[in-house]
Amino acid sequence: MAAHPAGSGADRPRRPEPDLVAPGSDAAVCFSEARLRRDITLLTVGGEIDLSTAPVLKERLSSAADGAGTLVVDLTPVTFLAAAGLRVLLDAQCAADRSQLRLVWITGARPVDRAVEIGGAGERLRRVSSLATILGHRERRMPATG
C-alpha cells in the first residue's frame, strides 16, 4: 500500500490498489486500508481470491486486525471467491471471536454472497450490506451527551 503524506486524506476509504499478481497466473488481489475512527479499521479487498491469493488475504487480515477494536472488511470489489478464500474468511472470523475483535464483513457482491451461501458459511460470518449499516449501529449505541 502506498504511503500518504499527512493531510492528504489518508484516513478516507480509497479504492483498492493492486497489491499482488500471483506468480504464474492472471489472478490479482488488491487491498486498501483506512482508519475510520480510532477503534474502527476498514480493509477493502478487491479482485480474485483463490488458492494463489488466499495466503496474502490471510496476512492482510491479520495485519489489519492488529490494534483494531473493530475490523470492517469490505468485500464488494471482490470478483471471485474460491473455497480457499472462504476458508480464510471463516478462520479469520474464528480468530476474531477468540480474541474479542469485532469483525464485520461487507458482502454486497454476488460472487462473495454466492460463495458464502453455497459454502454454508452464511450463519458463521457477521455480514452486512454496507458501511453505513456498521457506522449507524455504532452511533446508535453511543450514550447521549448534554
Side-chain angles (χ1 to χ4, degrees):
M1 191 161 69
H4 296 279
S8 68
D11 290 342
R12 278 186 255 138
R14 298 176 294 121
R15 285 198 147 160
E17 297 174 357
D19 193 65
L20 166 87
V21 175
S25 79
D26 293 329
V29 63
C30 308
F31 301 93
S32 176
E33 190 173 328
R35 177 87 47 179
L36 299 180
R37 296 188 185 152
R38 190 186 54 184
D39 64 333
I40 300 176
T41 298
L42 172 66
L43 178 66
T44 303
V45 182
E48 299 179 4
I49 309 298
D50 59 18
L51 188 58
S52 63
T53 59
V56 177
L57 174 61
K58 181 178 179 177
E59 286 179 28
R60 291 302 293 260
L61 287 169
S62 178
S63 173
D66 253 359
T70 299
L71 175 59
V72 178
V73 183
D74 184 356
L75 299 172
T76 54
V78 170
T79 57
F80 178 75
L81 181 65
L86 184 57
R87 171 57 28 206
V88 170
L89 303 186
L90 290 168
D91 289 349
Q93 187 71 62
C94 287
D97 292 345
R98 284 192 305 271
S99 68
Q100 298 183 349
L101 167 73
R102 182 173 181 235
L103 177 58
V104 182
W105 308 93
I106 301 174
T107 63
R110 179 166 164 70
V112 174
D113 286 336
R114 182 171 164 83
V116 167
E117 294 305 321
I118 288 172
E123 296 297 316
R124 296 173 60 195
L125 299 175
R126 291 187 189 99
R127 297 184 295 159
V128 298
S129 60
S130 72
L131 182 59
T133 303
I134 296 162
L135 296 177
H137 286 289
R138 298 282 295 179
E139 290 169 4
R140 274 181 279 198
R141 284 194 224 162
M142 293 176 67
T145 57

